[in-house]
Amino acid sequence: MAIKSPVSNKKPGNFVRLGLFWAIIVFGILAVVALVSPQDNLKSVPISDVINSANNGQIAKLEVEGDNVKVTPKGSDNPTEKSVKETGVSLQDQGLNKTASVQVTVVPQSKTGDTLWNLAIIIIPVVLIAGFFMFMMRQAQGQNNQAMGFGKSKAKLYGIDKEKVTFNDIAGNDSAKQDLEEVVDFLRHPKKYEALGAKIPTGVLLVGNPGTGKTLLARAVAGEANVPFFSISGSEFVEMFVGVGASRVRDLFAKAKKNAPSIIFIDEIDAVGRKRGSGMGGGHDEREQTLNQILVEMDGFETGANVIVLAATNRADVLDPALLRPGRFDRRTNIMLPERRDREAILKVHFKNKPIDETVNIDKLAAKTAGSSGADLANMANEAAIVAARRNAKKISNADLTEAFEKVAIGPERKAQVMNDKEKEITAYHEAGHAIVGHVLPDSDPVHKVTIIPRGGTGGVTWFLPPEDKSYTSVIEFKDVLARALGGRIAEKIVYGEDRITTGAGSDLRKATEIARDMVIEQGMGSKLRDQVFHDDNGGIVFDKMTHERPYSDDTAKEIDIEVAELVKEAARRAEVVLTQNRASLDKLAKALLKEETLEEQQVIEVLKDAKLPKEAKLY
Ligand code: ADP
Ligand code: ZN
């Protein structure tokens, strides 16, 4: 959540005002101090000199004010020197002759100096404190003004004249388009529906993974209906000052109503629309007020308001139920990750304006990008163009495409990273272990590629690709996936010994444990704990700590741990059987990897042609 620092939004004018303000305060203090300490230009002299001079008849007048003595020499009208006598001692006691021809006047001690000082001691702190408060108030006010101004300008208007998006710009997503076609029709022909007494829906929730084209779809609805499009992101609502979010919502809706018929698009609605839970802590207030304002505005649409609110999220399950009530976001459109055919269509959209040569095989790329979102694919197309441009080519080749795919899917190759020979060998055996276990087990996907070139944080990679997109996974398939995930660690153990295994398997083990837990907890795939799920909800947040309520007993929790451990142990055992009985193939593949660094599907199959599935590793 991007919390904007108010300081960064400060206008330069504020600095000038601030400087002026402090200058006035400092000036005031200096003035008071100057008043309090009156200046004279008299020369200070020791009292003994004054008395000597007086005794010698050189002095006309001595004015005594407390202990201060002002000296007026003969021939002068005004005092020219000053001195200080001992406290409580008269000038005579200090040695002034009674006979000296000097006029001694005692002036009552002036209180002005002291009074001014006393006054200053009272006034200065008051002035400082008052100044400080004024300063704070100005700051707060300034921020509010800024924030309000912000709220007003923040909702982006994609008007009719702006670059228009239509459904034709969106590949795939057919069912979502169909759902939204209806919304387009509401906006185009509201009378048709009103005539029949139908209430036009106010809110549609677009649910889907990031990058699946939710924003694109919302813009296309506006484009198709030829209406203005106002968009804002839920994370932008979250500001430091309470009330700002709500005022933004008010402003956004007011603008949209003024321009009706129109579309409001709220991206990342989960940032403000999470379940209102414990309601503790100041941070929640702002969110809640914003959310409430959204609800109030949506409820306040009169018939014929003709504003439709589209909201996007990838976590519909965390949304506050109040948002989903009838009259609010009561319609929902699910946007799925694209299927192979759709991926091909999306890639074609993004290669439309890019020159490609005849080697490019978009269909093949579509086949191996299972799980990629539209945004990933758009990114790949762009990367491919960049890769081609870097080698000064006129057209994009298939090799560029492959490099772009690997870059986006796993992170860029890090050929530069140094790995010593020993580590390289360990990596080769580790990856060979994954590859052989996956290759030999009947229900694992085939090996697509093995490499010991470090990439995006991993030492090497072994890729398995399903021959076609799959929606379901069976217990047997899960078990083969578990075994091949442990294949790397087990290969290290077999080759180098129990105590020479490395941290290279860290992420494999984490993944394996995750899969095993998922099987037992979410999929009802334990051996004793079959057909039951032990999913605990997301919990609530109490005092910033997650609280989980387990809907099962401690005994069950223990049983879950045991089942998970057994699944992992079984997988390790199967991997070990496969690798010990195919030791020759393991050595051969590791050696091939050390030599080639990267092996493609066909090369792996060739190297592993003697690998066999041992009887003990079979599940059926
Ligand atoms: P979301 O809002 O779901 O996170 P976006 O709508 O912002 O995703 O999509 C990001 C980008 O991905 C789009 O600008 C577009 O280039 C690309 N994209 C996503 N889905 C598609 C699609 N179905 N067809 C074409 N391009 C797509
Ligand atoms: Zn591994």
Side-chain angles (χ1 to χ4, degrees):
M1 231 171 272
I3 293 178
K4 296 194 179 72
S5 147
V7 176
S8 66
N9 296 324
K10 198 162 278 168
K11 283 170 258 144
N14 274 7
F15 284 110
V16 176
R17 284 220 308 271
L18 198 67
L20 208 66
F21 173 74
W22 279 112
I24 288 172
I25 286 197
V26 170
F27 181 77
I29 292 169
L30 285 180
V32 169
V33 170
L35 251 178
V36 163
S37 47
Q39 289 293 307
D40 52 29
N41 297 319
L42 303 182
K43 193 176 146 222
S44 271
V45 288
I47 190 71
S48 53
D49 290 1
V50 174
I51 289 176
N52 279 341
S53 306
N55 289 343
N56 291 341
Q58 289 163 331
I59 290 182
K61 199 163 136 196
L62 289 174
E63 287 170 64
V64 182
E65 182 185 334
D67 294 331
N68 294 316
V69 183
K70 280 186 190 162
V71 185
T72 311
K74 282 222 169 99
S76 174
D77 291 336
N78 290 312
T80 57
E81 289 173 335
K82 65 179 175 188
S83 188
V84 181
K85 73 171 180 63
E86 260 177 59
T87 309
V89 181
S90 73
L91 285 174
Q92 275 81 8
D93 293 342
Q94 292 230 290
L96 180 69
N97 288 341
K98 281 201 179 99
T99 54
S101 65
V102 63
Q103 184 194 352
V104 177
T105 50
V106 177
V107 200
Q109 203 173 347
S110 149
K111 289 277 185 249
T112 30
D114 285 355
T115 320
L116 276 177
W117 262 119
N118 289 342
L119 218 62
I121 285 163
I122 297 166
I123 286 173
I124 291 175
V126 170
V127 166
L128 277 176
I129 290 169
F132 178 71
F133 272 106
M134 251 161 73
F135 170 69
M136 291 294 281
M137 265 158 65
R138 268 161 174 260
Q139 282 288 93
Q141 220 177 29
Q143 264 163 11
N144 263 345
N145 287 343
Q146 274 166 23
M148 300 298 178
F150 243 29
K152 291 229 153 60
S153 60
K154 204 80 193 232
K156 283 167 250 150
L157 168 68
Y158 294 106
I160 297 161
D161 44 353
K162 268 250 184 161
E163 181 198 357
K164 203 158 103 178
V165 179
T166 64
F167 282 151
N168 282 336
D169 298 316
I170 304 172
N173 278 332
D174 289 335
S175 64
K177 275 195 242 176
Q178 227 164 44
D179 290 350
L180 293 172
E181 197 71 67
E182 219 179 50
V183 176
V184 173
D185 206 46
F186 289 141
L187 288 167
R188 273 204 195 135
H189 312 290
K191 294 276 180 307
K192 184 169 87 183
Y193 294 89
E194 277 162 28
L196 289 172
K199 215 168 160 253
I200 290 176
T202 40
V204 181
L205 201 61
L206 306 176
V207 185
N209 286 348
T212 43
K214 298 181 292 296
T215 313
L216 206 60
L217 275 164
R219 287 184 61 188
V221 171
E224 292 280 338
N226 217 15
V227 300
F229 178 75
F230 297 91
S231 85
I232 195 157
S233 171
S235 57
E236 288 171 34
F237 280 134
V238 184
E239 274 284 337
M240 276 169 97
F241 283 89
V242 174
V244 174
S247 98
R248 273 189 198 166
V249 171
R250 221 173 297 132
D251 187 61
L252 176 66
F253 276 76
K255 257 190 196 159
K257 276 192 237 173
K258 214 167 80 194
N259 291 286
S262 60
I263 293 272
I264 292 177
F265 177 62
I266 305 176
D267 204 359
E268 299 175 64
I269 192 157
D270 43 298
V272 282
R274 269 171 195 271
K275 281 191 190 91
R276 286 173 290 190
S278 42
M280 277 179 256
H284 292 235
D285 287 352
E286 172 61 5
R287 234 173 33 98
E288 230 159 83
Q289 284 199 17
T290 309
L291 176 57
N292 281 338
Q293 193 62 37
I294 293 177
L295 299 180
V296 165
E297 294 287 348
M298 289 184 75
D299 291 346
F301 280 144
E302 306 106 34
T303 25
N306 234 334
V307 177
I308 294 184
V309 188
L310 303 179
T313 179
N314 60 335
R315 300 284 320 269
D317 54 317
V318 302
L319 291 182
D320 196 290
L323 267 173
L324 308 176
R325 244 173 253 149
R328 295 167 181 172
F329 293 100
D330 49 1
R331 286 177 177 241
R332 173 190 290 212
T333 297
N334 287 318
I335 296 153
M336 301 297 177
L337 284 172
E339 303 269 324
R340 174 168 170 174
R341 215 160 30 84
D342 295 337
R343 291 199 297 271
E344 193 179 335
I346 294 172
L347 282 168
K348 282 194 174 137
V349 166
H350 290 282
F351 274 111
K352 206 165 57 190
N353 298 321
K354 298 184 176 73
I356 51 174
D357 69 14
E358 60 297 333
T359 59
V360 167
N361 189 340
I362 287 186
D363 177 51
K364 187 82 189 291
L365 180 58
K368 61 180 178 180
T369 42
S372 299
S373 69
D376 292 335
L377 296 171
N379 195 3
M380 273 173 213
N382 191 47
E383 278 297 335
I386 290 173
V387 171
R390 253 206 329 248
R391 60 175 184 91
N392 297 320
K394 289 268 178 293
K395 283 182 172 175
I396 299 167
S397 74
N398 209 45
D400 300 330
L401 219 62
T402 308
E403 194 178 331
F405 161 65
E406 290 171 3
K407 208 162 156 183
V408 174
I410 309 161
E413 261 184 47
R414 291 182 312 176
K415 282 213 172 95
Q417 198 213 29
V418 273
M419 208 198 255
N420 63 41
D421 285 349
K422 183 73 193 168
E423 279 175 347
K424 226 166 159 176
E425 192 194 271
I426 294 173
T427 308
Y429 270 108
H430 179 107
E431 296 306 329
H434 286 306
I436 294 177
V437 175
H439 177 77
V440 155
L441 294 181
D443 294 285
S444 158
D445 299 322
V447 179
H448 171 66
K449 189 173 189 170
V450 193
T451 176
I452 56 166
I453 295 172
R455 258 164 211 284
T458 67
V461 185
T462 304
W463 261 309
F464 298 88
L465 275 187
E468 56 202 6
D469 285 12
K470 288 193 302 192
S471 302
Y472 301 123
T473 309
S474 67
V475 175
I476 297 171
E477 283 166 337
F478 267 134
K479 287 189 167 181
D480 283 4
V481 170
L482 274 181
R484 83 179 185 217
L486 294 172
R489 163 58 63 91
I490 303 292
E492 288 182 39
K493 185 180 122 179
I494 291 171
V495 176
Y496 300 104
E498 183 75 65
D499 293 333
R500 294 204 185 274
I501 54 175
T502 70
T503 52
S507 63
D508 296 336
L509 303 183
R510 203 172 323 121
K511 204 174 122 215
T513 312
E514 257 166 39
I515 293 172
R517 277 198 84 78
D518 184 60
M519 287 174 72
V520 178
I521 292 177
E522 306 274 357
Q523 311 299 345
M525 289 179 173
S527 59
K528 264 195 231 159
L529 301 172
R530 215 12 103 90
D531 305 336
Q532 263 192 83
V533 292
F534 303 95
H535 175 80
D536 42 18
D537 64 0
N538 284 317
I541 295 174
V542 176
F543 288 124
D544 287 343
K545 278 214 179 78
M546 287 292 281
T547 57
H548 283 279
E549 255 182 58
R550 277 197 327 222
Y552 46 83
S553 69
D554 287 354
D555 287 346
T556 308
K558 203 163 165 188
E559 191 61 41
I560 289 172
D561 291 342
I562 293 171
E563 292 254 4
V564 170
E566 269 169 8
L567 276 171
V568 175
K569 267 188 219 145
E570 181 192 62
R573 191 182 52 76
R574 291 178 73 210
E576 183 148 11
V577 171
V578 169
L579 292 173
T580 35
Q581 300 209 15
N582 288 291
R583 179 61 202 260
S585 292
L586 180 63
D587 290 333
K588 216 167 123 195
L589 185 55
K591 203 170 284 163
L593 277 171
L594 281 170
K595 183 155 164 274
E596 305 285 338
E597 295 205 325
T598 302
L599 295 176
E600 302 288 342
E601 184 164 354
Q602 286 309 317
Q603 295 170 292
V604 175
I605 290 174
E606 176 58 29
V607 174
L608 294 185
K609 62 179 186 295
D610 296 329
K612 286 192 189 62
L613 173 65
K615 197 163 83 281
E616 300 90 321
K618 280 188 190 168
L619 287 174
Y620 52 91

